Amino acid sequence: MKELLASMFIELEPEFIGRACYEAGVRLEEAQALYQQARKEFGLPRAARWEDALEGVL
């Protein structure tokens, strides 16, 4: 299940992820932690769109 969630950073627009986080009551810091964990644990490639969207926000 974590692998599926991790893939969202590659496949979805950052705005969609942000909106889903807001609606689910998840902070962007938590989403970023999941992204970092996925990169480390599952070898998720860098998601430049996600990283760029969070630049200056966190």
Side-chain angles (χ1 to χ4, degrees):
M1 179 62 143
K2 285 185 181 181
E3 295 92 343
L4 178 63
L5 287 173
S7 70
M8 75 179 178
F9 295 103
I10 301 297
E11 297 177 16
L12 300 176
E13 293 295 324
E15 294 80 12
F16 182 80
I17 298 170
R19 191 170 357 142
C21 287
Y22 175 78
E23 290 178 9
V26 174
R27 297 179 336 201
L28 286 177
E29 292 88 355
E30 294 173 286
Q32 176 64 4
L34 175 61
Y35 169 70
Q36 292 172 339
Q37 178 185 2
R39 292 212 56 216
K40 180 180 177 183
E41 192 174 324
F42 306 121
L44 185 76
R46 183 175 172 263
R49 292 182 303 175
W50 172 254
E51 292 177 6
D52 292 345
L54 289 184
E55 189 173 309
V57 175
L58 297 182

